[in-house]
Amino acid sequence: ALQRFVDYVGDFPVAAITDADMTRYAMWVHGNYCQPTATMMIEAADRALAEYRGEAELTREDMERLLRHAYDNEWRALLVLVAQYGVRLEDVLRLSARHLRGQQLHFQCGKTRKWDGVFLSATDATLMKGLAPRGGALFKSLKAREVAWLTEKLRTLAMVAGVAGKLRDFRALRKYYVRVAQKEGVRS
């Protein structure tokens, strides 16, 4: 049941899975499976997704701790976009001031080539605007670094702040579902 949900949703940021996505999944399940199976599949997906979010997503306190350990405003903005809004690191590095319109950040996903966007809080939007007040790239100094180096630095910051393993990631959701499925398999 959990694998069906993961396959249905696809490689999509966990933070972006909405109630509407769950409703579409429920309609698809009801159209393809008998009532008892459909109900079991929907309940399993809902329960596991709620548990995963409770265990894996950053709380406000986690985020504040993480931001206290950031090196400068560029790192703070990077952490906000990657950890809080679930934007892929590769996409963050391609951002410029033209992608930011008020509190909305619009960007093209490097993996799917589709346009995506996030609605930033007023504080986060101000932080982003401060990076490039007259246009240009938002992450000038970080852009020169390799993604592997930046990823390692992000992991180090997360470990220092005590939030390692809580960065939103679809692969983490898959791994969590495997753990849940194995636990349920052991019980039955």
Side-chain angles (χ1 to χ4, degrees):
L2 297 174
Q3 187 61 48
R4 289 271 190 274
F5 176 66
V6 170
D7 292 341
Y8 179 83
V9 173
D11 195 359
F12 200 66
V14 176
I17 298 174
T18 64
D19 290 341
D21 295 323
M22 291 304 293
T23 302
R24 278 193 296 279
Y25 173 68
M27 289 169 44
W28 177 80
V29 168
H30 282 292
N32 290 292
Y33 295 91
C34 66
Q35 183 62 34
T37 303
T39 302
M40 181 270 305
M41 290 173 69
I42 294 164
E43 286 174 359
D46 273 338
R47 187 178 70 246
L49 187 59
E51 287 176 20
Y52 171 79
R53 284 182 167 152
E55 177 183 303
E57 288 189 3
L58 293 169
T59 63
R60 182 180 301 163
E61 293 80 24
D62 291 337
M63 197 64 200
E64 286 171 4
R65 238 185 339 205
L66 189 57
L67 291 176
R68 276 197 302 270
H69 289 86
Y71 306 114
D72 58 20
N73 279 346
E74 217 171 318
W75 277 96
R76 278 184 194 84
L78 180 77
L79 286 167
V80 164
L81 290 175
V82 171
Q84 191 167 340
Y85 293 102
V87 181
R88 294 175 61 241
L89 182 57
E90 294 85 354
D91 295 333
V92 169
L93 296 177
R94 284 196 301 275
L95 293 174
S96 68
R98 67 182 171 83
H99 292 108
L100 190 60
R101 293 182 193 105
Q103 287 183 246
Q104 295 180 350
L105 182 69
H106 296 278
F107 59 94
Q108 188 174 19
C109 178
K111 187 172 183 178
T112 64
R113 310 305 296 162
K114 293 181 182 175
W115 282 89
D116 201 354
V118 293
F119 188 78
L120 304 170
S121 71
T123 307
D124 296 338
T126 304
L127 176 63
M128 299 299 158
K129 288 175 189 167
L131 295 178
R134 293 197 172 103
L138 291 180
F139 299 93
K140 290 179 183 103
S141 64
L142 296 180
K143 212 172 179 176
R145 299 290 189 168
E146 292 180 12
V147 171
W149 183 85
L150 289 168
T151 303
E152 192 55 41
K153 283 288 189 186
L154 286 172
R155 282 194 188 117
T156 303
L157 281 172
M159 284 180 12
V160 168
V163 296
K166 283 196 164 192
L167 299 181
R168 296 177 182 181
D169 187 321
F170 192 79
R171 281 171 283 159
L173 177 63
R174 286 184 185 275
K175 289 176 187 173
Y176 178 80
Y177 276 10
V178 168
R179 280 200 331 263
V180 170
Q182 287 173 342
K183 276 196 282 184
E184 288 182 358
V186 170
R187 277 186 269 167
S188 47

